[in-house]
Amino acid sequence: LADEGPDPIVRTQLVPAQALVGQTVTLSVEVLVPGWFTAPIDYPGSINLPGVSGQQDRLSSSNLNERIDGINYLGITSNYQLIALQTGDYVVPALPLTVHYSMDGQAHEVILRTTEQRFSAGLPEELAGLGYVIATRDYQLEQNVDQSLTGLKVGDAITRQLIQRAEGVAAMVLPALEFAALPGMDVYPAEPQLSDSGSERGSISIGERRQEVSYLLREPGHYQLPGLSIGWFDPASKQLHWSKVPALNFEVAANPALAAELLTRQSATGIFNRLYRWVGALLIALLLGECLRRGW
């Protein structure tokens, strides 16, 4: 620490100490110096803890001003977001922080360490069989289609969009949706789009997962895209809730114009293939004739 005068202070707090798998746990780190900072604090960018995703939230920094034992301190608060990916008891190790500051005209460089923190992650019985965990006070599931489902014909394409939003849950924790192959159509899932928006205090406010899938309609008939039910657990009420979107039912009519176009293409392809074979046979005959003439 500093050679003379009051020492810098580091304070560490982790909440909540008991969480659910997938729930965001916030590690808050406060650094205070008896003077002013001369350079940004050097924080570890991530926390290496097996079974836990731990990243510094660089948007969470805020300034502090405190008077301690008659001395004015300046401080900075920064947060880490921890998400347990499986049940267990976890020990967050002490993190080294390199701090540069000036006091009474003297420059100082110190390495501070946070205090070791502990938390546990559990799984309610209600969620045991779901294969995923959403622990939040508010979850929403939304469905959109890019066009009307009436008047569809063979050759048309429709795009279905499913959006999940959860308060205080990282987007990467929200379950990935599977889109099975369906007879009579081609299925083209797009890459998921994940986004996290932060609150003023730096914690995750809303995690959002958007997934789109396009269906190319190849045959006439009646079709149904299955509905979807997602279970989520409210830690406050300790209740399991379900959010649902309905199945999509629609009719696909034959498309005479497309059929005629395909027939024209097939006919043109057949003529081209026959011409190609005739030209090939002619070239072979000419080559053989030339070989006979030369006595090869």
Side-chain angles (χ1 to χ4, degrees):
L1 296 179
D3 295 331
E4 299 177 356
D7 295 329
I9 299 171
V10 58
R11 297 191 293 230
T12 316
Q13 183 181 24
L14 184 148
V15 291
Q18 293 184 335
L20 297 175
V21 173
Q23 186 178 7
T24 300
V25 175
T26 301
L27 177 69
S28 178
V29 178
E30 296 181 355
V31 176
L32 298 103
V33 297
W36 61 90
F37 295 97
T38 57
I41 299 173
D42 185 10
Y43 297 94
S46 61
I47 297 176
N48 185 17
L49 188 59
V52 174
S53 171
Q55 298 292 330
Q56 184 188 17
D57 184 352
R58 299 186 182 276
L59 301 178
S60 67
S61 295
S62 59
N63 297 325
L64 300 172
N65 287 280
E66 290 192 26
R67 188 169 180 83
I68 304 173
D69 296 332
I71 299 173
N72 292 325
Y73 281 77
L74 293 179
I76 294 176
T77 299
S78 187
N79 294 334
Y80 287 82
Q81 304 298 329
L82 309 176
I83 300 173
L85 305 178
Q86 58 192 36
T87 60
D89 297 319
Y90 298 96
V91 179
V92 182
L95 306 178
L97 312 172
T98 303
V99 180
H100 298 83
Y101 71 100
S102 179
M103 184 182 65
D104 297 331
Q106 296 291 322
H108 301 269
E109 177 182 336
V110 297
I111 297 179
L112 306 177
R113 290 187 178 275
T114 63
T115 56
E116 186 179 271
Q117 302 290 313
R118 298 172 180 268
F119 76 100
S120 61
L123 184 64
E125 293 182 1
E126 295 88 342
L127 299 179
L130 292 182
Y132 59 87
V133 178
I134 304 174
T136 179
R137 293 184 302 177
D138 183 43
Y139 172 86
Q140 298 175 15
L141 179 62
E142 177 184 330
Q143 174 174 252
N144 299 306
V145 184
D146 67 338
Q147 61 174 296
S148 171
L149 296 182
T150 59
L152 294 172
K153 303 183 297 297
V154 171
D156 289 342
I158 59 175
T159 298
R160 184 188 197 186
Q161 182 187 64
L162 293 163
I163 305 171
Q164 301 179 69
R165 297 187 185 93
E167 180 179 337
V169 175
M172 69 175 183
V173 177
L174 298 175
L177 306 180
E178 301 292 335
F179 302 101
L182 295 173
M185 62 178 68
D186 295 328
V187 183
Y188 301 99
E191 286 294 322
Q193 297 181 356
L194 309 182
S195 64
D196 295 311
S197 58
S199 68
E200 294 180 357
R201 298 298 300 172
S203 61
I204 295 173
S205 178
I206 299 293
E208 181 180 277
R209 183 184 189 100
R210 289 175 177 258
Q211 290 187 250
E212 289 187 354
V213 56
S214 295
Y215 300 90
L216 177 61
L217 311 177
R218 295 189 291 105
E219 297 178 8
H222 175 80
Y223 292 92
Q224 181 183 81
L225 304 183
L228 185 65
S229 297
I230 299 292
W232 55 279
F233 186 79
D234 184 351
S237 64
K238 300 188 183 304
Q239 290 184 345
L240 178 66
H241 302 273
W242 290 90
S243 293
K244 302 179 181 181
V245 293
L248 299 177
N249 293 277
F250 54 90
E251 300 288 338
V252 177
N255 191 343
L258 180 61
E261 181 181 347
L262 290 176
L263 183 61
T264 301
R265 290 181 181 178
Q266 292 172 356
S267 177
T269 301
I271 293 173
F272 176 81
N273 289 338
R274 289 194 296 272
L275 180 62
Y276 180 81
R277 290 194 296 270
W278 182 82
V279 171
L282 178 61
L283 290 175
I284 292 174
L286 292 174
L287 180 60
L288 289 174
E290 183 65 17
C291 289
L292 292 174
R293 188 180 68 82
R294 294 173 177 259
W296 293 351

